[in-house]
């Protein structure tokens, strides 16, 4: 039995709504029971180190675990266990033929908000590291005498995102795109209690769990968008929707410059609870992917959702419907078999390289600016202004991706990022004394990382993999970018590569050059092509127009 549908609102509701909403309430209450301990530490500058865990926090943790279990149970759709063996013989080309309408715009807006909330989690890491190192006496460039490296915090978080990307990709191809997004939102709320943890070890655990939730949101949101937006608008609108990393850096750095001097670093984690609740509230405008529903045999649900987009579906012959999908196994191992192995390796290297830039350079940017003599407000304010200057580039990248070339646009922004990183190497001694130069280089790097990681890579990955692999493929690319982060942060923890401007720049520039070569050879063009056409070309099948 499929989830029931509310015909008056045109939206899918939960098959177990009571379990979901009771679980969400219990989880939220459990989260907010951690706030009193933070408030009571106001007279100590909101430092909780050494404080015992009180009874309210213990009750809150129990409610979070119980509530999360209930909510997850409410998210799992009631489906026939044999339904996945019955592939519907339906062409989804109608989705690509409809004009762009209000339903599309609402979906894009809601998913853009979801992506912004998601990206703010890892960007916050760089802004909490200096304050956390000071409170716990951890080893960092600002406190070289510490024994335990503060880099363990981002390492635990980024390790969680690697696992989360793979797990969420698998879940999206199992229970659906929409339930997976909601599960990530629930974890956003639960893991915000990282800001109330009194010990560094508990911070590491909560940061790891936070990484699990962050790892899955971005690729699944792109997969859902790719499967819903008409082909002629898909590339342009997905790039515009994902232009959130620059905005995320601006919002996070602005919040840090505003709140952290007064409330300390912990406040940046605690604001994750209301943003997660916001995401759940606006999820009523997020439908399930019609292509996913068709691929899993849930034809009636797909028809109802396609009605909302002004689309109709067309019955086709069995041979035509199965021409592509018959040769594709919905397994993770298929990503590394013909015909996808070359593309997976090339795009995976590209993702790893940009992960090294994001978590090997940008992660340590606030710390390095303070080492160079900037105070908290000045350093975070500089990053906020640089992020804001880089934001308009999203529109340029969207135009190039949609009207020039998807593949060449990926290569172009990788080249610009690499050039900016090498600028920090060549001007090592003077870069922090030249305001115009450091602004320019930071703008280029934030622009490149933002465009590549949240615009180009997720969009491209959602286009090049077929429906039965789209969640896994998108999750793999997202996970690969976080593997780069694990490598970069792991080197810092091991003491091999200190997070100076020069060392962090080289850490990203060298593998990025290698990725440019591989992707130039193995990349394929997706500009304004139907998803089924792209898949058919790769597997050698002929689709009937």
């Amino acid at each position: 039995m499929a989830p029931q549908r509310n015909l008056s609102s045109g939206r899918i509701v939960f098959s177990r709504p009571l379990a979901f909403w009771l679980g969400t309430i219990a989880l939220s209450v459990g989260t907010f029971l951690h706030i009193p301990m933070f408030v009571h530490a106001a007279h100590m500058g909101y430092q909780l180190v050494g404080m015992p865990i009180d009874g309210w926090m213990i009750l809150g943790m129990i409610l979070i675990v119980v509530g999360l279990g209930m909510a997850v149970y409410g998210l799992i759709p009631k489906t026939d266990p044999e339904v996945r063996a019955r592939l519907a013989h339906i062409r989804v080309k109608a989705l690509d033929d409809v004009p762009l309408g209000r339903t599309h715009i609402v979906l894009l807006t809601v998913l853009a908000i979801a992506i912004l909330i998601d990206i703010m989690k890892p960007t916050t890491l760089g802004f909490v590291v200096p304050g956390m190192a000071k409170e716990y006496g951890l080893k960092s460039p600002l406190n070289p005498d510490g024994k335990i490296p503060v880099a363990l915090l981002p390492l635990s978080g980024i390790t969680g995102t690697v696992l989360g990307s793979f797990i969420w990709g698998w879940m999206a191809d199992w229970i659906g795109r929409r339930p997976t997004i909601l599960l990530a939102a629930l974890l956003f709320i639960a893991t915000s209690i990282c800001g109330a943890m009194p010990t560094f070890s508990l911070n590491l655990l909560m940061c790891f769990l936070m990484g699990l939730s962050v790892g899955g949101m971005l690729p699944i949101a792109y997969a859902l968008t790719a499967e819903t937006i008409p082909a002629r608008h898909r590339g342009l609108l997905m790039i515009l929707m994902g232009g959130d990393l620059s905005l995320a850096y601006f919002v996070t750095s602005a919040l840090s410059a505003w709140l952290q001097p007064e409330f300390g670093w912990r406040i940046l984690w605690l604001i994750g609870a209301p943003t997660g609740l916001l995401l759940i509230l606006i999820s009523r405008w997020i439908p399930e992917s019609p292509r996913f529903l068709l691929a899993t045999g849930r034809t009636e649900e797909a028809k109802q959702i396609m009605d909302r987009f002004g689309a109709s579906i067309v019955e086709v012959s069995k041979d035509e419907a199965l021409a592509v999908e018959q040769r594709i196994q919905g397994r993770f191992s298929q990503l590394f078999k013909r015909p996808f192995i070359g593309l997976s390796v090339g795009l995976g290297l590209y993702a790893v390289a940009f992960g090294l830039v994001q978590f090997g350079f940008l992660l340590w940017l606030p710390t390095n600016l303070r080492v160079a003599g900037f105070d908290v407000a000045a350093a975070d304010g500089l990053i906020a202004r640089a992020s804001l200057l880089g934001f308009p580039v999203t529109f340029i990248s969207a135009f190039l991706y949609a009207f020039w070339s998807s593949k060449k646009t990926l290569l172009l922004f990788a080249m610009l990022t690499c050039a900016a990183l090498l600028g920090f190497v060549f001007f090592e001694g003077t870069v922090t004394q030249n305001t115009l130069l450091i602004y320019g280089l930071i703008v280029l790097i934030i622009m490149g990382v933002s465009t590549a990681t949240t615009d180009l890579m997720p969009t491209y990955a959602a286009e090049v993999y077929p429906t039965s692999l789209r969640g896994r493929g998108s999750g793999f690319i997202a996970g690969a970018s976080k593997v780069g982060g694990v490598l970069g942060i792991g080197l810092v923890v091991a003491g091999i590569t200190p997070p100076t401007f020069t060392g962090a720049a080289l850490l990203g520039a060298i593998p990025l050059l290698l990725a440019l070569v591989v992707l130039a050879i193995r990349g394929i063009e997706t500009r304004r092509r139907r998803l089924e056409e792209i898949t058919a070309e790769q597997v050698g099948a002929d689709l009937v127009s």
Side-chain angles (χ1 to χ4, degrees):
M1 177 179 176
Q4 298 299 310
R5 181 178 181 268
N6 185 324
L7 295 177
S8 62
S9 66
R11 63 186 177 90
I12 288 187
V13 297
F14 306 108
S15 55
R16 306 177 185 91
L18 183 61
F20 175 80
W21 289 114
L22 286 179
T24 300
I25 292 171
L27 183 148
S28 301
V29 171
T31 299
F32 285 103
L33 284 177
H34 289 72
I35 302 299
M37 188 171 179
F38 172 78
V39 174
H40 291 158
H43 66 285
M44 298 184 296
Y46 296 98
Q47 294 192 7
L48 304 179
V49 58
M51 294 183 65
I53 297 177
D54 61 23
W56 289 114
M57 289 184 67
I58 295 175
L59 176 60
M61 291 178 185
I62 295 173
L63 286 175
I64 287 173
V65 173
V66 173
L68 184 61
M70 292 177 62
V72 170
Y73 176 71
L75 282 174
I76 299 176
K78 297 177 181 178
T79 56
D80 183 341
E82 298 180 358
V83 76
R84 296 179 183 279
R86 302 194 302 268
L87 182 65
H89 310 317
I90 296 175
R91 180 189 297 171
V92 293
K93 182 179 179 181
L95 277 172
D96 293 312
D97 294 336
V98 300
L100 199 68
R102 178 179 176 274
T103 306
H104 296 101
I105 300 302
V106 171
L107 175 62
L108 288 169
T109 302
V110 172
L111 289 179
I113 295 173
I115 291 171
L116 174 63
I117 293 172
D118 178 76
I119 298 172
M120 285 178 63
K121 307 300 179 182
T123 58
T124 299
L125 279 171
F127 295 95
V128 303
V129 160
M132 177 178 284
K134 182 179 179 180
E135 179 173 341
Y136 291 110
L138 305 172
K139 184 177 181 179
S140 73
L142 295 173
N143 182 32
D145 296 329
K147 294 182 179 180
I148 301 176
V150 71
L152 286 174
L153 180 78
L155 180 62
S156 66
I158 198 65
T159 302
T161 63
V162 173
L163 297 177
S165 297
F166 296 127
I167 293 171
W168 256 240
W170 168 73
M171 289 187 66
D173 286 338
W174 173 45
I175 65 174
R177 298 3 178 177
R178 184 176 187 265
T180 309
I181 291 174
L182 285 170
L183 179 56
L186 290 169
L187 287 174
F188 286 174
I189 300 171
T191 55
S192 66
I193 65 173
C194 185
M197 295 295 102
T199 67
F200 183 56
S201 58
L202 286 175
N203 272 279
L204 292 179
L205 173 62
M206 297 311 303
C207 194
F208 172 80
L209 296 176
M210 186 181 295
L212 282 177
S213 63
V214 169
M217 173 72 75
L218 187 65
I220 306 311
Y222 274 94
L224 175 58
T225 306
E227 293 170 347
T228 309
I229 301 299
R232 61 183 178 277
H233 304 295
R234 187 181 62 236
L236 177 67
L237 294 179
M238 287 179 68
I239 298 296
L240 290 176
M241 180 190 73
D244 280 355
L245 184 55
S246 291
L247 184 58
Y249 266 100
F250 169 72
V251 173
T252 306
S253 55
L255 286 172
S256 179
W258 173 39
L259 297 174
Q260 194 168 171
E262 176 68 23
F263 299 102
W265 60 271
R266 295 177 179 275
I267 192 67
L268 297 180
W269 287 140
L270 293 173
I271 59 179
T275 56
L277 283 172
L278 172 64
L279 184 52
I280 290 178
L281 292 176
I282 64 176
S283 68
R284 69 184 305 272
W285 290 286
I286 301 178
E288 183 54 89
S289 161
R291 279 183 165 94
F292 170 80
L293 293 172
L294 291 175
T296 54
R298 292 155 63 180
T299 308
E300 289 303 315
E301 292 176 70
K303 288 180 179 179
Q304 293 168 350
I305 292 177
M306 291 176 73
D307 286 343
R308 297 175 56 185
F309 291 94
S312 58
I313 59 178
V314 180
E315 298 285 344
V316 296
S317 69
K318 180 176 180 180
D319 290 340
E320 180 184 343
L322 299 181
V324 175
E325 297 290 346
Q326 271 187 334
R327 298 183 57 182
I328 301 171
Q329 295 178 336
R331 300 175 181 174
F332 185 80
S333 60
Q334 182 66 54
L335 298 175
F336 301 98
K337 295 179 180 178
R338 297 183 63 184
F340 303 109
I341 181 171
L343 180 65
S344 294
V345 171
L347 195 54
L349 280 173
Y350 187 85
V352 168
F354 266 103
L356 282 167
V357 178
Q358 182 176 0
F359 294 97
F361 184 89
L362 290 182
L363 176 66
W364 302 106
L365 186 57
T367 298
N368 280 326
L369 287 173
R370 295 196 201 180
V371 172
F374 294 83
D375 60 26
V376 176
D380 295 349
L382 186 153
I383 297 173
R385 290 188 290 272
S387 302
L388 194 60
L389 289 172
F391 180 69
V393 179
T394 296
F395 300 97
I396 298 174
S397 64
F399 177 84
L400 293 174
Y401 192 96
F403 299 104
W404 178 44
S405 166
S406 58
K407 175 181 173 180
K408 292 177 182 177
T409 303
L410 262 74
L411 298 176
L412 172 64
F413 279 89
M415 293 171 61
L416 291 174
T417 306
C418 192
L421 290 168
L422 293 176
F424 274 96
V425 178
F426 296 145
F427 300 103
E428 178 183 6
T430 60
V431 67
T432 56
Q433 283 76 45
N434 189 322
T435 303
L436 183 61
L437 177 62
I438 195 169
Y439 262 116
L441 294 178
I442 291 176
V443 167
L444 280 176
I445 293 173
I446 292 178
M447 173 196 73
V449 173
S450 171
T451 303
T453 58
T454 63
D455 298 349
L456 302 178
M457 283 193 300
T459 301
Y460 194 71
E463 291 180 318
V464 296
Y465 293 111
T467 301
S468 58
L469 287 174
R470 189 160 290 118
R472 292 174 175 85
S474 296
F476 162 68
I477 299 305
S481 69
K482 306 308 185 297
V483 167
V486 171
L487 293 174
I489 300 171
L491 290 174
V492 174
V493 172
I496 298 175
T497 305
T500 61
F501 277 128
T502 303
L506 285 174
L507 190 64
I510 294 174
L512 194 54
L513 287 172
L514 176 63
L516 274 167
V517 175
V518 177
L519 190 61
I521 298 172
R522 293 295 186 179
I524 61 174
E525 183 59 54
T526 65
R527 183 178 65 89
R528 306 188 77 175
R529 301 174 66 190
R530 292 199 305 120
L531 299 178
E532 291 74 27
E533 180 186 347
I534 296 169
T535 300
E537 178 183 325
Q538 292 185 80
V539 300
D542 296 322
L543 281 182
V544 178
S545 300

